């Protein structure tokens, strides 16, 4: 578990070095190493803190998380048209990243407290989802906001949501999706259209999609070798150390390397669901399912975007993408997963 | 397994990952070739090598038109105008009337308060390059104000003023020019374009001179954002050569359209590697390239401009170097040498200009057909002709016409020596034959002598040339007949291209076969240079060469044209008679060019006065001849368009001036 996460993170740092040194910014990899140390510390903090104590502070943490999300809306720094960052001294945080583990923790806590059946069992989890998704969507960061929905859904499902609610949920999604498109901001709509027809927007939104696709495709089976990617070395792919890091992986390590990274990530997902499957308490099950879904969905959306299966969203690739907030958040999730695997039924608490 | 649903979800997620891997398989394994090719193409780089445009030089290799490196003073707004940066930031955060920053005048040492700004925008406004303390925030009653030191406010202005002082330009002019550009940046809506404008050099003063350019480079440490841009500009030897060299101008819309249809337009910046073949195989233009527009520059365009070279480079990602995949070398523009003597050309032009005569002067070396000078007035300065105001001025003054070979005129009496030679060669008359001039030929109404109502009396052929008697030549024409006359004039090169000059005209030589109506007596008109006969000064010069040397040369403007003669088939004795007649024109008591200053050079000549407007009494005044008489070294032709007065009177002094320059030059050269 720890080994898997560490392996993915190290691969991530290698490629951040590869991607940023060609742009003349060598300090990124170093910074990421420091962040990795912080993140690993956070992981052990969570593990040592222990499951049952975490449950006790879950509500408080969630409150802090939502407060931070609201705060970023007011005090946040505007970067590329979105208000996603909080500046505290020399550091910059992305509260929406930290909201992910906190959200999983709270939902697990709620579900452990009450089985998600009947209206009363559902109200609190859904309210929590809305509470966290709304400010994120207002940043605007629709991609991250939408991640919360499948996470909540899978957690509820695994913890025993009655089947009829599934149909209701599916119907709701089907109805709101077309309405949702009408409410999108112009840039979001452009991204969607650029995804559908990238050649039309070749100089703006479509550029990255096409470049990334060529970068991935030209990797071949074994790739071109570290720092020898054309798109990487010629600086043809903007944002390649953050959201598009996977295209660098695919170009320089080829199909083999990409599958390796995906397998490592799937290993984490597998561990999460196995934890959910075998756990003897709902808290562990919910944590496992939540973390696994979080990693799976983010991976799918990010890699899908890089390979032109999905439109462009700002979702990071867990453990790999450059950025302190994302890395720490991923490791906190890993910590939660560890905690979930370690938790055993305590009759007193689960009564 | 306690929760089969978790297993179900695991399967679902596994499905997602399998989908990703399938997509990767599709892109990286199945479509590998296609994408690898695309990626490889991105490593390709096309380099266009621009050749030097060839120069045009005179017979002594003095430049007449050449490319010279000139230096422009340019500024990069992003690197020296931080006030503009401040303005853009203030506008971005929504400060009303941010334009004020430009009009703030620093007073003494104190900082100037600019405006109030929202606290949370401060970090944005105070970012580099405005983070050196010259711009700071003042807090007062919980309000935040932005203040700037006087240095910041006057920075751009002082840099420009310093640059102006160092280069000897007017600071106000630079400032106003830059101010306009700054306004353009401010008004620019497109962010990309604005960034481009801000970070690329903008020329504020052209042609600052080599020394000033050097000073700017040396003082660059205190001139941030000021740079020197080298630009090749076409230089010309001056007005005297304008009609000869032509000029350069941007390719116009029509040409651009044609070039685009032929796919021969390329970009100065980036060209896709796929255009390698195109650039290698065809002569391509930049869309803002200047091309030769007129006369020599246009006629020699393909030779002068050379051919662009192109190099296809592939970047080696591993070591960062370049591999040459293909190369077509640039062909440098050829230098073209003319037979023109620049000093003579200037002298000839001046001779016309100082009298204000519209016309042409041609000087030819009869021994080899080299054109020594072909001046035409009015002319223009090719370096300035593309400026609209100057262009309009030139057009009002008389346009761009080249009058030596590009225009044809009635020759008047200048053809009489040719007719005389024809008649003598045909033995229709001899040197002693006299014809009585009564002032008119047959009838008093038509075919009068120019001296009518007076008369010349009996004249032999030399005297008839001396006095330019019409009646004598009417009679000669009558004896020759139209067809024979035309054949003889054609033998002297009338009606055909006289020179290796592409734009030289054929003129028009009337003969019974091409003229309608060819009535009886039309030959008489032709024999005195009237009717429909049209010749260019170059043609007359060529005919004079033939009379002077006995063979008809091809006039040569270009050094590389081989000398070429055509035998005239006229006995030397005949030519001697005609030459003697022409000698009398200058020396004789009754000569039409008597006392015009030509006798000082032992010249032989024939004048011509072609009436073009009887009502306004305007004539084309001609004089054509050679000097010295016994061993001709130069043939001269002077034409003055539409003046009052006779050929000898008007054109004679011009010819004298030109000959003076010629023999003065020669004497100096011989010494």
């Amino acid at each position: 578990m720890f080994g898997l996460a560490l392996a993915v993170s190290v691969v991530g740092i290698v490629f951040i070095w590869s991607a940023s040194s060609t742009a003349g910014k060598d300090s990124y990899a170093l910074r990421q190493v420091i962040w990795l140390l912080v993140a690993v510390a956070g992981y052990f903090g969570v593990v040592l803190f222990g499951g049952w104590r975490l449950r006790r502070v879950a509500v408080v943490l969630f409150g802090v998380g939502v407060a931070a999300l609201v705060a970023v809306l007011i005090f946040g720094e505007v970067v590329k048209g979105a208000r996603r960052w909080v500046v505290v001294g020399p550091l910059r945080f992305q509260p929406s990243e930290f909201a992910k583990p906190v959200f999983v923790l709270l939902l697990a806590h709620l579900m452990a407290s009450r089985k998600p059946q009947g209206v009363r069992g559902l109200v609190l989890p859904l309210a929590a989802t809305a509470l966290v998704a709304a400010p994120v969507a207002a940043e605007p960061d629709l991609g991250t906001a939408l991640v919360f929905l499948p996470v909540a859904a899978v957690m509820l499902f695994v913890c025993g949501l009655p089947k009829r609610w599934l149909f209701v949920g599916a119907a709701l999604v089907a109805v709101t999706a077309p309405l949702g498109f009408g409410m999108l901001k112009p840039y979001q709509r452009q991204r969607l259209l650029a995804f559908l027809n990238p050649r039309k927007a070749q100089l703006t939104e479509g550029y990255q999609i096409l470049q990334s696709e060529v970068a991935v495709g030209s990797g071949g089976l074994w790739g071109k070798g570290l720092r020898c990617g054309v798109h990487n070395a010629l600086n043809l792919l903007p944002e390649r150390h953050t959201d598009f890091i996977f295209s660098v992986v695919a170009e320089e390590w080829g199909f083999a390397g990409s599958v390796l990274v995906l397998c490592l990530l799937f290993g984490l997902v597998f561990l999460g669901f196995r934890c959910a499957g075998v756990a003897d308490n709902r808290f562990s099950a919910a944590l496992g399912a939540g973390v696994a879904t979080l990693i799976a969905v983010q991976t799918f959306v990010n890699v899908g975007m890089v390979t032109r299966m999905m439109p462009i969203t700002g979702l990071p690739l867990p453990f790999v993408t450059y950025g302190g907030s994302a890395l720490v958040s991923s490791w906190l999730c890993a910590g939660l997963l560890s905690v979930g695997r370690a938790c055993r039924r305590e009759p007193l608490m689960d009564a | 397994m306690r929760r089969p649903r978790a297993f179900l979800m695991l399967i679902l997620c596994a499905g997602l990952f399998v989908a990703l891997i399938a997509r990767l398989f599709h892109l990286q394994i199945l479509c590998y070739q296609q994408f690898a090719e695309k990626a490889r193409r991105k490593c390709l780089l096309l380099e266009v090598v621009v050749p030097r445009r060839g120069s045009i030089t005179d017979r002594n290799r003095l430049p007449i038109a050449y490319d010279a490196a000139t230096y422009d003073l340019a500024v990069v707004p992003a690197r020296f105008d931080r006030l503009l940066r401040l303005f853009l930031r203030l506008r971005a955060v929504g400060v009303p009337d941010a334009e004020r920053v430009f009009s703030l005048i620093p007073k003494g040492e104190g900082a100037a308060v600019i405006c109030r700004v929202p606290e949370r925008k401060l970090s944005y406004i105070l970012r580099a390059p405005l983070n050196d303390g010259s711009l700071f925030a003042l807090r007062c009653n919980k309000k935040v104000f932005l203040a700037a030191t006087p240095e910041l406010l006057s920075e751009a202005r002082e840099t420009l003023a310093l640059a102006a002082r160092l280069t000897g330009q007017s600071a106000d002019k630079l400032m106003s020019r830059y101010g306009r550009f700054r306004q353009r940046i401010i008004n620019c809506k497109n962010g990309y374009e604005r960034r481009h404008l801000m970070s690329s050099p903008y020329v504020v003063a052209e042609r600052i001179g080599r020394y000033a350019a050097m000073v700017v480079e040396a003082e660059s440490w205190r001139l941030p954002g000021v740079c020197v841009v080298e630009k090749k500009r076409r230089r010309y030897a001056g007005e005297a050569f304008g009609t000869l060299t032509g000029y350069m101008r941007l390719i116009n819309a029509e040409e651009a359209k044609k070039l685009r249809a032929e796919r021969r337009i390329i970009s100065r910046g980036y060209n896709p590697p796929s255009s390698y073949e195109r650039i290698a195989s065809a002569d391509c233009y930049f869309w803002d390239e200047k091309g030769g527009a007129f006369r020599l520059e246009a006629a020699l365009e393909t030779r002068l401009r050379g051919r662009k070279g192109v190099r296809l480079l592939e970047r080696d990602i591993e070591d960062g170097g370049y591999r040459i995949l293909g190369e077509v070398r640039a062909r440098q523009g050829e230098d073209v040498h003319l037979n023109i003597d620049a000093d003579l050309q200037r002298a000839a032009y001046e001779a016309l200009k100082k009298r204000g005569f519209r016309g042409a002067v041609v000087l030819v070396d009869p021994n080899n057909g080299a054109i020594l000078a072909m001046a035409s007035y009015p002319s223009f300065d090719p370096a300035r002709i593309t400026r609209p105001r100057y262009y309009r001025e030139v057009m009002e003054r008389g346009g761009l016409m080249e009058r030596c070979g590009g225009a044809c005129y009635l020759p008047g009496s200048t053809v009489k020596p040719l007719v005389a030679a024809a008649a003598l060669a045909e033995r229709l008359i001899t040197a002693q034959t006299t014809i009585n001039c009564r002032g008119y030929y047959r009838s008093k109404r038509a075919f009068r002598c120019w001296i009518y109502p007076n008369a010349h009396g009996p004249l032999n052929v030399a005297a008839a040339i001396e006095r330019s008697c019409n009646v004598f030549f009417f009679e000669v024409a009558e004896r020759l007949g139209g067809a024979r006359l035309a054949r003889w004039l054609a033998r002297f090169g009338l009606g055909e291209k006289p020179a290796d000059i592409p734009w030289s005209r054929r003129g028009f030589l009337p003969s019974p076969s091409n003229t309608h109506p060819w009535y009886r007596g039309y030959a008489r008109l032709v024999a005195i240079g009237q009717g429909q006969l049209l010749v260019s000064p170059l043609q007359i010069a060529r005919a004079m060469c033939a009379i002077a040397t006995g063979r008809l040369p091809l006039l040569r403007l270009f050094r590389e044209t081989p000398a070429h003669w055509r035998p005239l088939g006229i006995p030397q004795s005949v030519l001697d008679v005609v030459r003697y007649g022409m000698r009398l024109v200058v020396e004789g008591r009754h000569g039409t060019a008597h006392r015009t200053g030509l006798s000082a050079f032992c010249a032989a000549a024939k004048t011509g006065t072609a009436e073009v407007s009887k009502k306004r009494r305007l004539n084309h005044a001609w004089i054509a001849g050679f000097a010295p008489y016994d061993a001709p070294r130069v043939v001269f032709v002077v034409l003055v368009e539409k003046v009052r007065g006779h050929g000898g009177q008007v054109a004679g002094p011009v010819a004298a001036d030109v000959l003076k320059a010629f023999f003065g030059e020669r004497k100096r050269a011989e010494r």
Side-chain angles (χ1 to χ4, degrees), chain A residues 178-191:
Chain A
L179 286 178
F181 185 78
M183 284 163 58
L184 288 179
K185 299 209 178 245
Y187 87 94
Q188 293 164 333
R189 220 176 292 178
Q190 255 172 11
R191 277 184 178 180

Side-chain angles (χ1 to χ4, degrees), chain B residues 42-320:
Chain B
K42 287 177 185 170
C43 297
L44 299 182
L45 184 74
L46 205 63
E47 234 180 41
V48 177
V49 185
V50 184
R52 186 184 66 93
R53 190 176 174 90
S55 54
I56 302 174
T57 53
D58 84 337
R59 64 188 301 121
N60 301 316
R61 304 276 160 134
L62 295 176
I64 292 176
Y66 59 105
D67 264 5
T70 58
Y71 303 94
D72 295 344
L73 185 69
V75 292
V76 183
R79 280 175 45 214
F80 95 111
D81 193 356
R82 295 196 299 167
L83 217 49
L84 176 60
R85 180 72 52 104
L86 173 62
F87 164 80
L88 291 174
R89 284 183 191 172
L90 288 181
R91 191 173 66 174
V93 303
V95 170
D97 69 319
E99 264 98 349
R100 244 162 21 109
V101 295
F102 298 123
S103 51
L104 280 176
I105 309 279
K107 282 182 193 135
E109 296 291 302
V113 174
I114 297 171
C115 61
R116 199 184 148 189
V117 290
E119 168 109 46
R120 62 202 160 84
K121 309 284 189 187
L122 266 184
S123 64
Y124 166 70
I125 295 173
L126 292 177
R127 277 189 321 186
L130 293 166
N131 57 354
D132 64 343
S134 55
L135 186 71
F136 52 89
L138 290 175
R139 286 185 171 76
C140 171
N141 296 340
K142 289 188 180 168
K143 291 174 187 166
V144 183
F145 293 92
L146 209 57
T149 55
E151 287 83 49
L152 177 65
L153 292 178
S154 56
E155 205 175 51
R157 208 171 304 145
E158 272 175 12
T159 308
L160 267 188
L162 178 62
R165 208 168 65 233
L166 289 174
T167 56
Q169 304 281 327
S170 142
D172 291 339
K173 216 164 138 192
L174 294 197
M175 200 60 221
S176 72
R177 228 174 130 172
Y178 175 66
R180 279 199 298 276
F181 182 59
R182 187 160 67 185
Q183 201 56 46
R184 203 174 122 201
I185 295 179
I186 290 171
N187 294 340
C188 181
K189 292 278 186 299
N190 183 337
Y192 288 105
E193 193 188 338
R194 189 169 59 226
R195 238 160 285 153
H196 175 75
L197 289 179
M198 290 223 10
S199 56
S200 44
Y202 173 73
V203 173
V204 287
E206 275 107 5
R207 277 176 271 217
I208 56 171
R210 224 171 297 173
Y211 179 71
M214 210 170 66
V215 169
V216 170
E217 289 290 343
E219 302 282 330
S220 60
W221 58 275
R222 52 178 180 150
L223 290 171
V226 179
C227 56
V228 172
V229 180
E230 189 194 300
K231 190 173 174 191
K232 288 262 194 297
R233 283 197 173 84
R234 199 82 171 149
R235 285 257 177 90
Y236 293 94
E239 260 191 16
F241 301 89
T243 48
L244 181 61
T245 57
Y247 59 96
M248 307 270 295
R249 61 146 164 70
L250 290 179
I251 52 178
N252 61 27
E254 257 168 62
E255 288 161 347
K257 205 168 159 192
K258 192 172 147 244
L259 288 170
R260 196 163 299 130
E262 291 167 2
R263 296 172 42 75
R264 280 168 58 198
I265 296 262
I266 56 175
S267 156
R268 269 202 203 274
Y270 172 78
N271 286 299
S274 54
S275 49
Y276 175 79
E277 290 293 323
R278 189 153 63 91
I279 302 175
S281 61
D283 182 18
C284 290
Y285 281 76
F286 295 124
W287 67 269
D288 61 343
E289 187 167 318
K290 284 187 172 182
F294 191 62
R295 295 315 179 212
L296 282 182
E297 292 276 27
L300 302 174
E301 174 73 356
T302 46
R303 284 175 61 192
L304 286 173
R305 73 192 304 265
R307 180 79 166 267
K308 288 192 179 59
V310 61
R311 251 198 303 236
L312 187 63
L313 303 173
E314 184 181 17
R315 177 151 177 180
D316 191 328
I317 298 298
E318 273 163 55
D319 63 7

Side-chain angles (χ1 to χ4, degrees), chain B residues 4 10 23 76 176 186 224 274 316 342 366 430 443 499 506 539 555 633 656:
Chain B
L10 179 62
R23 173 71 176 161
V76 183
S176 72
I186 290 171
S274 54
D316 191 328
T430 65
S443 115
R506 281 179 211 294
Q539 282 175 325
L555 299 190
R633 277 172 33 205

Side-chain angles (χ1 to χ4, degrees), chain A residues 22-256:
Chain A
T22 51
K25 290 172 183 155
D26 294 322
S27 63
Y28 282 0
L30 193 64
R31 272 195 246 172
Q32 189 76 347
V33 170
I34 295 170
W35 275 116
L36 180 59
L37 296 179
V38 174
V40 171
Y43 168 83
F44 282 114
V46 169
V47 171
L48 294 179
F49 202 64
W52 306 118
R53 259 184 285 176
L54 271 177
R55 275 191 68 179
R56 241 172 269 147
V57 294
V59 179
V60 180
L61 282 178
F62 185 73
V64 172
V66 172
L69 283 176
V70 175
V72 78
L73 285 181
I74 301 165
F75 304 113
E77 194 185 343
V78 180
V79 178
K80 293 180 191 165
R83 206 181 285 283
R84 294 176 189 175
W85 301 87
V86 180
V87 181
V88 182
L91 299 174
R92 299 201 310 171
F93 294 103
Q94 211 173 346
S96 57
E97 285 297 330
F98 292 106
K100 290 171 190 168
V102 171
F103 172 70
V104 170
L105 178 63
L106 179 85
L107 237 58
H109 166 65
L110 290 178
M111 277 174 232
S113 311
R114 184 190 285 273
K115 211 169 180 222
Q117 278 167 351
V119 178
R120 288 167 68 192
L122 278 174
V123 164
L124 279 177
L126 290 183
T129 311
L131 211 55
V132 77
V136 175
E139 279 180 1
D141 187 353
L142 196 62
T144 309
L146 286 179
V147 167
F148 293 113
L149 300 183
V151 170
V154 171
M155 287 172 81
L156 288 169
F157 177 70
V158 169
C159 289
L161 185 74
K163 271 178 198 153
R164 62 172 183 281
W165 287 101
L166 282 180
F167 295 118
V168 173
L172 264 178
V173 169
V175 169
T176 48
L179 286 178
F181 185 78
M183 284 163 58
L184 288 179
K185 299 209 178 245
Y187 87 94
Q188 293 164 333
R189 220 176 292 178
Q190 255 172 11
R191 277 184 178 180
L192 270 181
L193 293 177
F195 163 68
L196 294 174
N197 192 354
R199 266 164 223 296
K200 226 171 193 174
Q202 213 155 10
L203 292 176
T204 52
E205 280 83 8
Y207 174 79
Q208 234 164 354
I209 300 180
L210 290 174
Q211 293 283 354
S212 166
E213 190 188 14
V214 176
V216 170
S218 64
L221 181 56
W222 297 109
K224 299 173 185 162
L226 214 52
R227 299 193 66 199
C228 291
V230 170
H231 295 76
N232 182 4
L234 296 185
N235 216 345
L236 292 175
L237 195 60
E239 303 288 335
R240 61 175 178 275
H241 59 288
T242 59
D243 290 347
F244 280 82
I245 188 84
F246 192 80
S247 64
V248 181
V249 177
E251 188 179 13
E252 304 194 341
W253 275 7
F255 184 65

